[in-house]
Amino acid sequence: MSAAFKQPDRLLEHNQEVEKLWQAYRRGEPWRVPVIFNYGIRCRLLDPSLNTEGYTFQQYFEDPDVMLDAQLKHLYFKAFNLWRDESMGYPAKGWQVFIDFQNTFEAPWFGCPIRYHTDQVPDSMEIFRERKSLLYEMHIPEPLGAPMMQRAVEFYEYFKERCPDLEFMGRPVLPPRSLPGAGTDGPFTVAFKLRGATELCLDIYEDPKYVHDLLSFITEATIQRIRAVRQYLIDKKDVCSEEFETPGWGFADDAAEMLSPELYREFVLPYHKRLVDTFAGGGPVSVHMCGDASHIYPLLIEELGANSIDTGFPVDHGKLREELGPGIEILGGPSIMLLREGPEEAVKEEVKRILRSGVMTGKRFILREGNNVAPGTPLKHLRAMYATAKEHGLY
């Protein structure tokens, strides 16, 4: 690292502490609760004070130069402004960029048109809303040939070509090592995107066979896509095949939290099991669900072998720890709207309340926002959360 870009001493000390903390956490011996934040690109693009270029999400999705420039500036901003238990400052190896279509990838991969909104993240239009029978006329998309995947591959190849010749703030820019579609937002969530939330919920009662047909179609397509993406990365020699052979897998399915345990078991669990059986290799399973999916978490542990639960909000952290036991990793924390609106004192009190709830039992708790920091959240509120956890999250 050149002298012009020497790491500030306070960040060197921070990074050394963070490395030791995570090593201790992995051994089951952390001295305090780790703190992370999902402070995504929407926090930049939807905040005029940060997005001085005026980039839109449509430009970000359609122009690889915009995606690359916005990401690099966002990474730099986080590296020096967002205090949390991750390495900060100038990255030792370089800035790691990636192909990013947010949560608007899977439904468009199936053929749903993208909708761009002013002052909001993109979404997609449901292709089965008006004519559910279209499902039976469709074939599984060509894994790498569907238009949305073609765009992802084009961006990937463009990044790979440009990055080796790029420097940003004196550090190299590292090309992406994965593609969108290598994981999943969950079959039930994708079904919502294809059919519509109200329509799918009505189908559960009026046409359960259709729900299973739709979820079976989505799950098989997802498996084919993930396998194809993995093989593509291996063929490009960007990833060693051994990386995909390591036991363990993680996935999300936010919409499933709307179901009772009985309906989850009947309609969604078989497809979650199929995904886990296909990709986890008998290893640890992590699951993310937004909202309060506390009523489903025990099933995820019992039926899928999940050992890490990333919660949304609102959840009763103490009750959740009591129900799941000390050995299950739990990630969660204050509501994103509390973090956005504050004031700082309210943030501090909520962090202390959560930490005192009993969730720290077992030393398997990671404090984070619940869930996905909202644009416009003052950094001082996030700093207050971090400082409070460092003081009151001691074991």
Side-chain angles (χ1 to χ4, degrees):
M1 189 176 295
S2 68
F5 297 95
K6 182 180 178 182
Q7 197 84 291
D9 288 342
R10 66 192 180 111
L11 294 184
L12 283 173
E13 294 172 3
H14 168 84
N15 293 345
Q16 290 168 357
E17 177 187 337
V18 165
E19 183 178 0
K20 292 177 181 177
L21 177 63
W22 286 112
Q23 289 175 350
Y25 182 83
R26 287 189 287 271
R27 294 195 307 268
E29 303 170 348
W31 63 88
R32 67 168 172 85
V33 169
V35 181
I36 61 174
F37 293 109
N38 184 1
Y39 190 85
I41 194 69
R42 69 176 187 156
C43 289
R44 181 178 189 85
L45 294 185
L46 300 179
D47 186 339
S49 69
L50 298 177
N51 184 14
T52 55
E53 303 81 11
Y55 291 146
T56 66
F57 258 113
Q58 185 165 1
Q59 291 173 308
Y60 185 79
F61 270 40
E62 296 179 357
D63 186 335
D65 285 315
V66 170
M67 183 179 288
L68 185 57
D69 185 58
Q71 267 192 44
L72 288 171
K73 289 172 179 174
H74 187 57
L75 289 170
Y76 179 78
F77 179 82
K78 290 197 300 181
F80 288 92
N81 294 280
L82 184 64
W83 287 89
R84 76 280 192 206
D85 288 319
E86 295 180 32
S87 180
M88 294 181 63
Y90 297 107
K93 295 182 180 179
W95 307 100
Q96 181 64 67
V97 295
F98 60 102
I99 309 305
D100 174 31
F101 296 113
Q102 300 286 286
N103 293 102
T104 307
F105 178 82
E106 282 190 274
W109 180 76
F110 279 99
C112 294
I114 297 176
R115 295 186 294 190
Y116 295 102
H117 307 278
T118 302
D119 299 327
Q120 187 52 273
V121 295
D123 200 355
S124 55
M125 300 176 65
E126 303 89 346
I127 56 175
F128 296 157
R129 180 188 289 273
E130 302 299 331
R131 190 159 72 92
K132 60 192 287 186
S133 62
L134 182 60
L135 168 66
Y136 300 106
E137 300 173 23
M138 285 186 63
H139 298 286
I140 288 175
E142 181 66 29
L144 299 179
M148 195 65 192
M149 184 61 80
Q150 288 181 338
R151 185 191 303 186
V153 170
E154 288 171 6
F155 275 44
Y156 182 84
E157 296 294 346
Y158 183 78
F159 275 36
K160 279 189 60 181
E161 182 179 347
R162 281 211 62 198
C163 288
D165 299 324
L166 281 181
E167 263 197 4
F168 182 72
M169 298 305 226
R171 305 302 300 137
V173 177
L174 306 178
R177 300 187 68 253
S178 187
L179 275 172
T184 180
D185 290 331
F188 198 67
T189 300
V190 174
F192 263 41
K193 294 289 188 178
L194 297 181
R195 175 72 175 121
T198 301
E199 289 76 10
L200 187 62
C201 287
L202 289 172
D203 288 336
I204 287 175
Y205 292 98
E206 299 175 351
D207 194 354
K209 179 181 182 302
Y210 179 83
V211 178
H212 281 290
D213 289 344
L214 177 57
L215 290 172
S216 179
F217 174 80
I218 291 169
T219 303
E220 177 58 32
T222 299
I223 290 170
Q224 291 188 24
R225 185 190 67 238
I226 293 174
R227 284 174 168 163
V229 168
R230 289 182 171 188
Q231 192 58 53
Y232 171 86
L233 296 170
I234 291 169
D235 291 344
K236 291 289 183 179
K237 301 188 181 337
D238 295 329
V239 176
C240 298
S241 60
E242 288 79 8
E243 291 190 35
F244 298 129
E245 294 168 2
T246 304
W249 195 58
F251 71 104
D253 210 340
D254 294 344
E257 68 95 11
M258 297 180 65
L259 299 176
S260 68
E262 295 75 20
L263 289 178
Y264 169 79
R265 184 185 289 276
E266 179 181 352
F267 286 98
V268 181
L269 179 60
Y271 308 101
H272 282 177
K273 274 188 173 181
R274 188 172 175 207
L275 289 167
V276 168
D277 290 345
T278 302
F279 295 116
V285 174
S286 60
V287 182
H288 165 75
M289 286 187 183
C290 286
D292 185 358
S294 301
H295 56 295
I296 293 176
Y297 295 147
L299 277 173
L300 301 179
I301 295 167
E302 175 187 347
E303 299 287 351
L304 302 179
N307 71 335
S308 178
I309 302 293
D310 185 16
T311 69
F313 69 95
V315 298
D316 183 330
H317 296 85
K319 182 179 178 183
L320 191 61
R321 170 60 72 202
E322 185 177 343
E323 291 179 348
L324 302 187
I328 299 297
E329 180 179 73
I330 297 174
L331 296 85
S335 156
I336 58 170
M337 294 316 296
L338 173 64
L339 289 173
R340 189 180 191 276
E341 301 302 327
E344 286 181 68
E345 195 56 40
V347 172
K348 294 176 182 178
E349 288 303 313
E350 177 65 0
V351 171
K352 287 189 281 187
R353 185 192 69 80
I354 291 171
L355 294 175
R356 293 167 179 166
S357 69
V359 74
M360 291 173 57
T361 301
K363 301 185 178 182
R364 294 278 287 161
F365 178 59
I366 298 173
L367 183 69
R368 62 169 304 166
E369 82 296 337
N371 180 271
N372 202 329
V373 176
T377 299
L379 287 175
K380 64 181 181 179
H381 293 174
L382 303 181
R383 293 188 189 117
M385 175 172 162
Y386 186 46
T388 305
K390 291 184 75 172
E391 179 181 355
H392 294 274
L394 299 174
Y395 288 108

